[in-house]
Amino acid sequence: MVEPTGALHVVPVNELFFSTTDDKGVIDLSNSVFTRMSRYSREQLNGAPHNIIRHPDMPGAAFKVMWDTLQAGEPFAAYVRNMAADGSEYRVFATITPLPSGGYLSVRSKPCDEQLYSTASDIYAVVRKAEREALATGKNRRVAAELGVGVLVATLAGAGISAYEDFQNAALVSEVSLREAQTGGFPSRQGDDVLVPVLEQACSVYEQFSEWMTKQVVLSEMAENIAKTVTRVAEDMAFMAEVGQKFTFYGADRPELASLTMPLTVWVQMQGIVKGYMDSLSEKLGELTKNVSRTQFRIALSRLHIFMYGQFVAEILDSDVANHDEQFRALVMLGDVLKEDIVTLREQTRRTTAYMHAARDYVRQVAEAVAIPRQLLSLWETTASMTVTDSFGSELAATVAGAKARTSSSLRKLEQFGDSLEKTDELNTDYSQMESLLGDMCDIVNSHVGNA
């Protein structure tokens, strides 16, 4: 049995490696980088359980969460410490994706976000300590891992992370972006080999994924800004209701102020209705933000997959292996994954569009609900300056006027965001062009399977 030596070897930032397993985690396909990083031969890896490279300091909870996620049909991403055949350690950022035909694809790269890697390492240390304490009391590994999941959730919450999904989504987007910035761009090769045009097509697909991510960043920033504005609107409207109520009490025994207290009373009475719309708007914005985060995760995953595809094509072109049957089989698998990525992203975009439209409708409903009270309040300041004569009333009227100005400003800002949501359809992507490129790319590879 291999024991850790404490030595560390680093994955080069310009290298990606992958492996596939069956549903039980038994290794099937992989590229040469995996054999080099793991320091096992291809023969040793083929048919071996993927946990052959598991480092003993990795918490079982991480793998419990991984399997729960994968068996729910969703991809998973995490920072992982692996152990090579010689006992040395190598650290990766790993993604694992369910394959359309069954089994799983894992793509690994060097961790580039040092802060996120450090956060994950600290959390793992806490969780692994709790698991070892459980094992020391006679608990088996399954029970210890389940206990570890509870510690993982609590430790994430203590770090200000509401759910592991939020962490993995942010980590993948960051890792893909940082890695791309540190590498020399998408692989390219020259020559008359049948795979050269495949590589060119793959580069075009990669560029479209990059453009798609830029659009999602715009949408994410918009959703975040709207959410902040909704919070400000709610606070301003509540303050307006509070000072309006004070002025209403002040004018209760002053019949001459009835024309001033009436619009304020209407405003206060409308707050329950408006709050319902605001709460629904906040809920829809939360759903929109969550879905945009998931879409960004999926686009980043797709970019990683297409980059892996390109690097593997370049690896095949650069190799002197006479028979490429297994490599072509792996290319077919990677192409199928990319096609499935597009299907998933189509659905993600459809949901995003639905949430955007719902948010826009609720912005309109808020504006319509306060339209009449706002019109009444527009007459308020002029009348107040001519009607209120004592110092206390004048001071209170000035406070109401200030609150009204604050509320009007924040509502206008919200309405502007509502208008901007009308234009978000232009953020959609041309799926047909991407699907056509992928189809051509995969057709070339598929036609040479068995003839390589």
Side-chain angles (χ1 to χ4, degrees):
M1 181 177 178
V2 179
E3 294 292 337
T5 64
L8 175 69
H9 65 277
V10 177
V11 177
V13 72
N14 62 332
E15 292 198 306
L16 287 172
F17 55 107
F18 75 89
S19 56
T20 64
T21 69
D22 63 14
D23 291 336
K24 295 183 178 180
V26 175
I27 298 170
D28 178 18
L29 299 168
S30 62
N31 65 338
S32 63
V33 184
F34 182 31
T35 59
R36 193 171 352 113
M37 288 297 108
S38 69
R39 299 181 176 174
Y40 285 99
S41 68
R42 183 71 187 89
E43 291 72 27
Q44 287 174 306
L45 291 172
N46 190 32
H50 208 282
N51 63 12
I52 190 176
I53 58 170
R54 179 171 172 176
H55 195 286
D57 286 340
M58 278 296 296
F63 298 103
K64 173 74 167 60
V65 174
M66 178 194 77
W67 281 112
D68 288 348
T69 303
L70 294 175
Q71 288 169 1
E74 298 296 329
F76 180 80
Y79 292 99
V80 181
R81 298 172 62 186
N82 285 332
M83 189 168 66
D86 61 1
S88 64
E89 176 183 342
Y90 63 101
R91 299 165 182 174
V92 299
F93 183 76
T95 64
I96 305 95
T97 307
L99 291 169
S101 57
Y104 306 100
L105 164 69
S106 177
V107 177
R108 277 94 75 197
S109 59
K110 175 186 177 181
C112 294
D113 193 318
E114 294 180 4
Q115 183 176 351
L116 287 178
Y117 178 82
S118 177
T119 298
S121 295
D122 291 345
I123 291 172
Y124 287 166
V126 173
V127 176
R128 188 58 177 147
K129 180 176 181 292
E131 290 178 352
R132 283 177 169 149
E133 289 173 352
L135 290 169
T137 64
K139 301 288 193 303
N140 61 37
R141 289 198 301 172
R142 181 182 63 80
V143 173
E146 290 173 350
L147 291 170
V149 171
V151 176
L152 174 64
V153 171
T155 309
L156 284 169
I161 304 167
S162 60
Y164 182 78
E165 181 188 5
D166 296 337
F167 180 81
Q168 76 160 13
N169 289 0
L172 178 61
V173 171
S174 177
E175 286 293 337
V176 169
S177 177
L178 289 172
R179 183 189 172 280
E180 289 172 353
Q182 295 176 34
T183 56
F186 199 85
S188 64
R189 296 291 186 275
Q190 303 295 321
D192 56 3
D193 191 286
V194 68
L195 288 180
V196 171
V198 170
L199 194 55
E200 293 170 353
Q201 295 279 69
C203 183
S204 297
V205 173
Y206 168 75
E207 289 172 352
Q208 290 207 16
F209 277 130
S210 298
E211 179 185 345
W212 204 351
M213 177 59 84
T214 300
K215 293 177 180 179
Q216 292 299 312
V217 170
V218 171
L219 186 55
S220 178
E221 291 173 350
M222 183 184 298
E224 182 179 348
N225 288 332
I226 295 175
K228 290 178 180 177
T229 302
V230 167
T231 299
R232 188 165 61 249
V233 169
E235 292 171 350
D236 290 348
M237 292 183 72
F239 181 62
M240 179 66 201
E242 179 184 346
V243 297
Q245 188 72 63
K246 289 180 180 178
F247 193 90
T248 300
F249 289 151
Y250 163 77
D253 298 326
R254 296 172 175 80
E256 70 276 12
L257 299 181
S259 60
L260 291 178
T261 58
M262 185 270 291
L264 297 176
T265 300
V266 173
W267 182 270
V268 172
Q269 291 173 342
M270 286 295 297
Q271 293 313 295
I273 297 173
V274 174
K275 184 179 184 302
Y277 288 133
M278 295 291 282
D279 288 347
S280 296
L281 175 56
S282 295
E283 180 183 340
K284 294 302 176 186
L285 286 171
E287 292 170 342
L288 172 60
T289 301
K290 174 68 75 175
N291 198 72
V292 170
S293 173
R294 288 172 175 167
T295 304
Q296 288 177 314
F297 173 86
R298 285 286 188 167
I299 295 173
L301 183 63
S302 300
R303 286 164 67 186
L304 184 68
H305 286 162
I306 192 65
F307 211 107
M308 179 70 260
Y309 189 99
Q311 284 208 336
F312 189 49
V313 170
E315 179 183 321
I316 296 171
L317 287 169
D318 295 342
S319 73
D320 54 6
V321 176
N323 190 323
H324 293 301
D325 282 348
E326 184 170 280
Q327 286 96 329
F328 269 76
R329 185 163 68 91
L331 281 180
V332 171
M333 175 274 300
L334 290 170
D336 288 343
V337 169
L338 286 163
K339 289 178 180 178
E340 191 68 19
D341 286 345
I342 297 297
V343 172
T344 301
L345 283 166
R346 271 185 179 274
E347 177 60 21
Q348 287 287 134
T349 301
R350 184 196 65 77
R351 283 197 293 265
T352 297
T353 300
Y355 290 137
M356 286 191 301
H357 290 172
R360 178 199 62 198
D361 291 344
Y362 277 108
V363 170
R364 288 175 176 168
Q365 289 169 342
V366 170
E368 290 170 2
V370 298
I372 293 176
R374 285 171 76 181
Q375 290 173 3
L376 291 172
L377 288 174
S378 66
L379 303 173
W380 190 91
E381 286 176 281
T382 302
T383 307
S385 63
M386 296 185 297
T387 309
V388 180
T389 57
D390 65 279
S391 59
F392 176 77
S394 297
E395 183 179 343
L396 189 55
T399 303
V400 173
K404 172 190 169 294
R406 254 175 59 182
T407 304
S408 296
S409 175
S410 59
L411 281 167
R412 280 196 300 272
K413 188 70 172 177
L414 183 61
E415 289 165 355
Q416 289 169 2
F417 277 127
D419 292 340
S420 69
L421 286 170
E422 293 278 3
K423 304 173 184 177
T424 50
D425 286 343
E426 66 192 35
L427 297 176
N428 289 338
T429 295
D430 184 357
Y431 297 96
S432 59
Q433 184 179 3
M434 190 177 291
E435 287 172 330
S436 177
L437 288 167
L438 273 175
D440 292 345
M441 183 181 83
C442 293
D443 286 346
I444 295 173
V445 172
N446 293 347
S447 66
H448 285 78
V449 173
N451 301 316

